[in-house]
Amino acid sequence: TRTVTNLELWRIVTSCVFFGKFGFPWIMSVATFYLHMKNNEETHRGKLADFVWQLINVIVGLHIFAVILEMQLLSFALTMSLCWIWCRRNPTAQLSIYMFKFSANYFPFALMAFHLLMGMSIMDDIVGIVVGHAFLFLRDMLPKTHNIDILQTPQWLIRIFPYDKLGAYTVHAPGEARAGGAAAAAPAGRNWGRGRVLGALSLIHI
């Protein structure tokens, strides 16, 4: 609410990337967040605008839940959203929590069970999964089943992040494609339990 009432607009971003004080738990949380960011970016290789649009929509969805549930920290929910989206798009991949390996199709549930066994609140996980699945439904499923694409990447964002570019690097197509296919490149008031220990997300390996 302070974001709106006091115009503290930076909280829209900082609430999604704050993982507590520096220390070993912080390092593990940031490493896990980086891993899922990297995986999702690679899914959109050559189409950075699509990845940015995904982040925008997921963060907006998380903030809607933040207002309803009076959540102040969204970094762990964002991590789970990214995890859910990537796992659903790559269901046969193998990931592990320490020595335990899981198929990507079941990994988010295994991670949530791990948090529950550790005595942590899984509210962040649930919110992250709901928002992530809502994005997948609107972005991937609805266009295929009903030919409705309400989350199509807007042209203004594509102009900022042109396709076939990732940051400062250009993804080059083979010589034949470059020669003949240039046109194609176009304050918390609720008690949700003990809460999550900052940085408690485990380091995940693929």
Side-chain angles (χ1 to χ4, degrees), residues 84-96:
W84 179 265
I85 291 171
W86 187 85
C87 287
R88 287 296 165 178
R89 285 175 170 170
N90 302 271
T92 60
Q94 294 290 315
L95 300 94
S96 63

Side-chain angles (χ1 to χ4, degrees), residues 55-104:
L55 285 178
I56 292 174
N57 281 279
V58 169
I59 289 174
V60 169
L62 290 175
H63 277 285
I64 292 175
F65 274 90
V67 173
I68 297 174
L69 302 178
E70 299 182 13
M71 300 170 62
Q72 293 184 334
L73 186 63
L74 298 175
S75 52
F76 297 107
L78 176 58
T79 300
M80 181 56 83
S81 287
L82 295 173
C83 173
W84 179 265
I85 291 171
W86 187 85
C87 287
R88 287 296 165 178
R89 285 175 170 170
N90 302 271
T92 60
Q94 294 290 315
L95 300 94
S96 63
I97 306 176
Y98 296 112
M99 67 185 74
F100 303 101
K101 289 187 176 182
F102 302 91
S103 168

Side-chain angles (χ1 to χ4, degrees), residues 26 29 45 68 70 99 101 125 142 167 177 179:
W26 180 90
S29 293
R45 184 171 297 278
I68 297 174
E70 299 182 13
M99 67 185 74
K101 289 187 176 182
D125 295 334
L142 200 59

Side-chain angles (χ1 to χ4, degrees), residues 22 24 54 56 60 62 83 92 95 103 116 121-122 129 150 164 170 173 204:
F22 181 79
F24 182 70
Q54 172 185 314
I56 292 174
V60 169
L62 290 175
C83 173
T92 60
L95 300 94
S103 168
L116 192 61
S121 170
I122 59 173
I129 288 175
I150 64 176
D164 295 330
T170 302
I204 300 166

Side-chain angles (χ1 to χ4, degrees), residues 7 48 65 78 104 110 122 124 126 176 193 204:
L7 294 179
L48 183 58
F65 274 90
L78 176 58
I122 59 173
D124 291 332
I126 294 174
E176 296 84 356
I204 300 166

Side-chain angles (χ1 to χ4, degrees), residues 7 28 34 40 43 46 51 66 70 74 107 112 132 143-144 151 155 172 175 177 181 198:
L7 294 179
M28 295 190 67
Y34 169 79
N40 278 268
T43 301
F51 175 57
E70 299 182 13
L74 298 175
F107 180 79
M112 186 164 56
K144 295 178 181 178
L151 289 185
Q155 289 299 316
H172 296 289
L198 286 174

